[in-house]
Amino acid sequence: MANTTNLDPTKTLHEIEEKFEMFQILNEEGKIVNEAAMPDLTDDELVELMSRMVYTRILDQRSISLNRQGRLGFYAPTAGQEASQLASQFALEKADWILPGYRDVPQIVWHGLPLEKAFLFSRGHFVGNQVPEGVNVLAPQIIIGAQYIQTAGVALGLQKRGEKAVAVTYTGDGGSSQGDFYEGINFAGAFKSPAIFIVQNNQFAISTPRELQTAAKTIAQKGIAAGLPSVLVDGMDALAVYAVTKQARERAINGEGPTFIETMCYRYGPHTMAGDDPTRYRTSDIDSEWAKKDPLVRFRKFLEDKGLWTEEKENEVIERAKEEIKVAIKKADATPKQKVTELMDNMYKGDMPFNLKEQYEIYKEKESK
Amino acid sequence: MAQMTMIQAITDALRTELKNDENVLVFGEDVGVNGGVFRATDGLQKEFGVDRVFDTPLAESGIGGLAIGLSLTGFRPVPEIQFFGFVFEVMDSISGQLARMSYRSGGVYNAPVTIRSPFGGGVHTPEMHSDSLESLMTAQPGLTVVVPSTPYDAKGLLISSIRDDNPVIFLEHLKLYRSFREEVPEEEYTIPLGKADVKREGKDLTIIAYGLMVHESLKAAEELEKEGHAVEVIDLRTIQPLDIETIIASVKKTGRAIVVQEAQKQAGIAANVVAEITERAILHLEAPVLRVAAPDTVYPFPQAESVWLPNFKDVMETAKKVLEF
């Protein structure tokens, strides 16, 4: 059948997809490939960012090991995503809100959640979710996509309050298939709210490869559907992630609305520690290909070339991390066990409803024995 | 005092709270310049501005997320879900998120959100507009569920709901929006949540109802009186938590009870009421507690509403079974 129109929707699609080049500043060898885009970071800040990435890699190793010993519960490994997680958080201010997914514990820890609380979250204790006053984070969200629509709401709230702050949220590549993912970015776009939506594309949603989520060539281009400025960034490059998040934050607080960011990254470990075995769905070839892109390796080289980082310095961070983790686990161990009456106390602000009041008395009696 | 329909009383309550508390925000699909598909928010955007009363994109889930996020930044959101049949789109935001906000944060955050939504049959709406889905809400710990049946109750209960620091689901029966007028004070007043109201006193039988079924029960009570039966009618007003005290006191007095709902028998909250009575007053019962409810089918095609929906005749029939047991 002959073409009856001169439209070429395939060409339109390809033209859009071609626009999404991966933004990178630091290559795998730790060399600057985009001098013009270099973020304005002091030497101290560069060192701090590296320290946090090293610390978080150790936190991941220790968390996996503590989980295997049964001293932690639910845990979603983070190794490989340090640039994506920590360089984006590093671009934020204290007033900013973080709405994390279940893998995004490091961001809320660096935003002010005490480590022992992160461990209590893992174990399943309400004290872990009691974030300290002034730390603008929510507990890790288990329902994939819910954090996106809630972020649109927090951002609208900040906008209405006239605050110079943003709401930042994270999901994974699989999460970009959810309805709430799209509704979240679309609402923030329609209200022109100060939100930053980050998709950490770590290539797999449990065992399902990124290609099975969507025919879209990039996830970044999904932002276009909501009318959001959208970026594809090398998620293994701390400087690039920092630069795009910082720029998104500035746009947001200047009233220019939300930004959508896809960070291309990888998780070295399993999906979670609840029995997932990545060798069933990942080849060692893919693993070693991504190992070459390790965010720590390239940032280390970059800092060493500038004379800002040494093995000694790195070991100091490692020792500090191990020590603080040990202390935090002890604090978590010392947290009193949960009582049913406490769970009831937390259900409502103010008076309990009749049914709960009755049950409260029953459990108070049981607990007094 | 003014004569108001229930919809006018609702608008009046919203206006009262928008005026009282600058954190109150009203939003949803077509609630702004249009004043809502039933005029519940008529004139509010004009009076309070687009920052306080605003339209949203057409996405219930997003509206739920918006409410949660706004409450985290200190606002007191009063979102609207255009018809409660659309709640399935926003079930996670309500039951998975809002209801759990205080608990999951160990009391650090709370969610002072009131979700308004119309429901209910008898007006030949298209599919998924009239379904009684309140039991989806009452089954979720963390939610309070309110169903007013009169203009007076609607205003006082809505003001209380908005002021409550926890999430409240406020369900407005479509057939009651404009079916009658009632004296409603122009000044502000509240009605406590979780408190039922004895709409008619009697000593022979207790009829427990909510929503449109309150009026069907009152009509049935009148008819039964002609036959010599003094019937007490309790309007639950809040269906979660239940006002156990009022229910049990009445049942202990009359010794006989029925529970009347518009929802299907396998849905609604009648079974909860029966269970509570059985647990707390079985020795006072002269007869089993029977239920009036709709058949366990999907909500009827519009033309079948009249044969499907429970009405005062069904209430009378069931009442007589219990009276003559």
Side-chain angles (χ1 to χ4, degrees), chain A residues 26-27 30 234 236 293-294 296-302:
Chain A
L26 207 54
N27 69 11
D234 183 348
M236 307 299 260
K293 298 180 181 176
D294 193 315
L296 270 63
V297 172
R298 72 174 82 172
F299 203 48
R300 187 185 291 120
K301 280 182 187 156
F302 166 71

Side-chain angles (χ1 to χ4, degrees), chain A residues 140-143 146-147 149-150 180, chain B residues 68 87 90-104 136-137 140-143 167:
Chain A
Q141 178 59 250
I142 300 297
I143 302 303
Q147 70 272 35
I149 47 174
Q150 292 173 19
D180 281 351
Chain B
I68 294 166
V87 71
V90 62
M91 274 301 282
D92 179 57
S93 279
I94 298 174
S95 295
Q97 309 289 332
L98 267 176
R100 304 163 66 100
M101 185 61 78
S102 174
Y103 176 87
R104 84 184 288 262
L136 297 175
M137 302 287 106
Q140 176 57 51
L143 299 177

Side-chain angles (χ1 to χ4, degrees), chain A residues 97 99 121 126 129-131 135-143 146 149-158 160-161 180 183 186-187 190-191 343-351 353-355 358, chain B residues 23 25 50-52 54-57 59-63 65-66 68-70 72-75 92-93 97 99 102-110 141-144 165-166 240-242 244-245 280:
Chain A
W97 278 78
L99 288 89
F121 160 74
F126 73 86
N129 287 7
Q130 286 177 322
V131 302
V135 176
N136 294 337
V137 304
L138 289 192
Q141 178 59 250
I142 300 297
I143 302 303
I149 47 174
Q150 292 173 19
T151 294
V154 172
L156 182 61
L158 296 170
K160 285 184 177 295
R161 297 272 179 223
D180 281 351
E183 289 186 28
N186 189 57
F187 268 56
F191 289 112
L343 304 180
M344 290 174 167
D345 272 330
N346 292 337
M347 279 299 300
Y348 298 86
K349 187 176 174 190
D351 286 349
F354 179 85
N355 52 323
E358 250 186 14
Chain B
N23 290 316
L25 300 175
V50 75
D51 278 346
R52 305 283 308 284
F54 53 95
D55 291 322
T56 67
E60 287 76 19
S61 192
I63 291 170
L66 209 63
I68 294 166
L70 286 165
L72 286 166
T73 46
F75 288 99
D92 179 57
S93 279
Q97 309 289 332
S102 174
Y103 176 87
R104 84 184 288 262
S105 67
V108 171
Y109 300 124
N110 63 303
L143 299 177
T144 300
D165 285 331
N166 304 293
Q240 173 60 41
L242 291 169
I244 300 294
E245 275 178 46
R280 296 167 195 270

Side-chain angles (χ1 to χ4, degrees), chain A residues 17-34:
Chain A
E17 289 183 334
E18 290 311 309
K19 297 241 157 58
F20 284 92
E21 281 178 45
M22 191 162 74
F23 178 75
Q24 192 186 54
I25 293 178
L26 207 54
N27 69 11
E28 291 169 29
E29 282 74 47
K31 301 288 179 222
I32 300 293
V33 293
N34 189 349

Side-chain angles (χ1 to χ4, degrees), chain B residues 265-276:
Chain B
K265 198 163 192 179
Q266 70 182 63
I269 55 121
N272 293 353
V273 179
V274 175
E276 294 289 352

Side-chain angles (χ1 to χ4, degrees), chain B residues 84 119 132-138 145 171 210 239 263 268-269:
Chain B
F84 205 57
F119 80 107
S132 288
L133 299 170
E134 62 274 17
S135 59
L136 297 175
M137 302 287 106
T138 56
V145 187
L171 299 174
Y210 59 102
I239 56 169
I269 55 121

